[in-house]
C-alpha cells in the first residue's frame, strides 16, 4: 500500500489546485459560502499577545488559502452517478444503477497515500509524487444474491483492482475465503477481465480522473474549515 506523507500531499494538492482559480474577487466570495464560519470574523474580547499571535497566524493562513486557490462547490453528479459529499469526513459516496436491478455504490477516501516515480525525460532528475485514493465499489443484484465488493486503488489516470469480496448481507460467515490478491503478476489476466466488468458499469479510468480533481477541491475545503474551527476555539 502506498505510503502516507502529509507534507508531500499538501504540496502536491496546493500546486495542482492552481487551476481552480481565475483570481477574481467574486470567485473568492463564492468560496466563502462553502464554509461554516466567516473567514475574517474577529472577537472584540481583548486577548493576550500570545493568543493574538496565534489568531493572526491562523487568519493569515486562511487568507492565503483563499487567495492562492479558493475552493469551488463540490460536484453533485458524474456521468450516471450521483455524488454525495460528506463534510468533515475523509470520504465521499457515489451511487448509480446498471440495468434494471443492479445497484452500484462507490465510497472513496480522500488522498490516503502516495508513491514516488522518476520524472519523465532522459535528462530529468528527481521524482514526482503520485497520490493514491482507496475505493470500495459495491455491486448489488438484489435479494438472493451476494454482493460483490471491489477494493481498488484509484491513481490519477488508472484504476487498479486489489481484491474482490463476495458479501452475503443476510448471513455472517466467520473467516470467509476472500479471494486472490489481483495485483500479483500471475493474476493480471483476471484483473483485466474484472476491470472490463467495472468499465461497463462506469467505474473506469475517467472516474479516477474525476475523483482526483474532486478530492483536491475537498482537501482544500476541509483544510480551510479546520483552520477556521481552530481559530474560533482560540478566540473564545
Amino acid at each position: 500500500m502506498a505510503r502516507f506523507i502529509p507534507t508531500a500531499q499538501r504540496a502536491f494538492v496546493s500546486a495542482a489546485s492552481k487551476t481552480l482559480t481565475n483570481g477574481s474577487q467574486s470567485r473568492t466570495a463564492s468560496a466563502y459560502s462553502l464554509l461554516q464560519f466567516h473567514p475574517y470574523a474577529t472577537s472584540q474580547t481583548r486577548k493576550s499577545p500570545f493568543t493574538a499571535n496565534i489568531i493572526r497566524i491562523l487568519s493569515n493562513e486562511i487568507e492565503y488559502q483563499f487567495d492562492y486557490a479558493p475552493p469551488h462547490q463540490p460536484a453533485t453528479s458524474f456521468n450516471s452517478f450521483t455524488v454525495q459529499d460528506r463534510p468533515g469526513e475523509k470520504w465521499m459516496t457515489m451511487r448509480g444503477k446498471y440495468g434494471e436491478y443492479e445497484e452500484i455504490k462507490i465510497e472513496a477516501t480522500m488522498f490516503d497515500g502516495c508513491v514516488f516515480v522518476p520524472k519523465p525525460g532522459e535528462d530529468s532528475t528527481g521524482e514526482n509524487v503520485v497520490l493514491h485514493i482507496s475505493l470500495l465499489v459495491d455491486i448489488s443484484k438484489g435479494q438472493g444474491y451476494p454482493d460483490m465488493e471491489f477494493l481498488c486503488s484509484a491513481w490519477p489516470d488508472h484504476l487498479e483492482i486489489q481484491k474482490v469480496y463476495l458479501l452475503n448481507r443476510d448471513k455472517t460467515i466467520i473467516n470467509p475465503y476472500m479471494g486472490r490478491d489481483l495485483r500479483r503478476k500471475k493474476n493480471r489476466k483476471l484483473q483485466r477481465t474484472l476491470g472490463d466488468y467495472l468499465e461497463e458499469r462506469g467505474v473506469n479510468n475517467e472516474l479516477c480522473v474525476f475523483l482526483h480533481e474532486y478530492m483536491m477541491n475537498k482537501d482544500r475545503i476541509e483544510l480551510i474549515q479546520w483552520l477556521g474551527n481552530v481559530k474560533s476555539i482560540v478566540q473564545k
Side-chain angles (χ1 to χ4, degrees):
M1 180 62 70
R3 292 174 291 170
F4 177 68
I5 302 182
T7 54
Q9 172 183 325
R10 181 174 175 182
F12 186 90
V13 171
S14 295
S17 297
K18 287 183 178 180
T19 58
L20 298 179
T21 181
N22 60 10
S24 67
Q25 294 181 347
S26 60
R27 184 73 173 274
T28 302
S30 177
Y32 293 158
S33 65
L34 301 175
L35 306 175
Q36 299 175 8
F37 71 99
H38 192 287
Y40 298 118
T42 57
S43 173
Q44 300 300 319
T45 305
R46 186 175 181 83
K47 305 295 182 183
S48 69
F50 179 74
T51 301
N53 187 54
I54 295 175
I55 295 172
R56 179 184 60 81
I57 292 173
L58 290 169
S59 297
N60 289 343
E61 180 67 16
I62 293 170
E63 184 176 358
Y64 168 78
Q65 294 295 336
F66 272 114
D67 291 344
Y68 187 67
H72 56 78
Q73 188 70 37
T76 57
S77 64
F78 172 75
N79 291 344
S80 62
F81 293 97
T82 60
V83 178
Q84 178 187 356
D85 189 33
R86 291 154 72 165
E89 299 185 32
K90 294 183 177 181
W91 291 81
M92 59 88 81
T93 303
M94 303 177 68
R95 297 181 186 274
K97 295 194 70 173
Y98 179 78
E100 189 174 354
Y101 302 107
E102 197 169 289
E103 295 186 356
I104 303 171
K105 177 184 176 182
I106 301 172
E107 292 188 298
T109 67
M110 295 176 65
F111 300 118
D112 60 358
C114 68
V115 295
F116 298 93
V117 298
K119 290 184 178 180
E122 295 181 0
D123 300 329
S124 298
T125 59
E127 296 177 313
N128 287 331
V129 179
V130 179
L131 297 178
H132 174 271
I133 294 173
S134 293
L135 209 65
L136 281 177
V137 183
D138 287 352
I139 297 179
S140 174
K141 294 182 178 288
Q143 190 172 6
Y145 296 92
D147 292 355
M148 294 181 69
E149 184 170 79
F150 293 77
L151 174 62
C152 306
S153 290
W155 299 101
D157 59 354
H158 73 280
L159 184 76
E160 180 184 47
I161 302 173
Q162 298 181 22
K163 287 267 193 178
V164 180
Y165 305 140
L166 297 180
L167 305 177
N168 192 332
R169 304 295 184 183
D170 302 323
K171 183 179 180 181
T172 301
I173 301 176
I174 299 175
N175 197 24
Y177 175 70
M178 303 305 283
R180 292 178 172 180
D181 185 345
L182 298 178
R183 295 170 295 179
R184 295 179 181 177
K185 188 174 182 180
K186 65 180 180 179
N187 295 325
R188 294 292 172 79
K189 183 176 181 180
L190 178 57
Q191 186 182 76
R192 286 195 298 269
T193 301
L194 292 171
D196 292 341
Y197 182 85
L198 291 181
E199 168 82 33
E200 190 173 350
R201 288 154 177 78
V203 183
N204 50 26
N205 296 345
E206 184 184 359
L207 174 64
C208 292
V209 174
F210 166 77
L211 287 174
H212 275 255
E213 293 176 351
Y214 185 97
M215 291 305 179
M216 286 178 184
N217 184 60
K218 181 173 173 63
D219 182 272
R220 186 162 295 279
I221 293 173
E222 298 295 348
L223 172 61
I224 296 174
Q225 183 64 59
W226 178 83
L227 289 168
N229 291 341
V230 173
K231 177 184 172 183
S232 297
I233 294 171
V234 173
Q235 285 179 324
K236 295 296 184 181

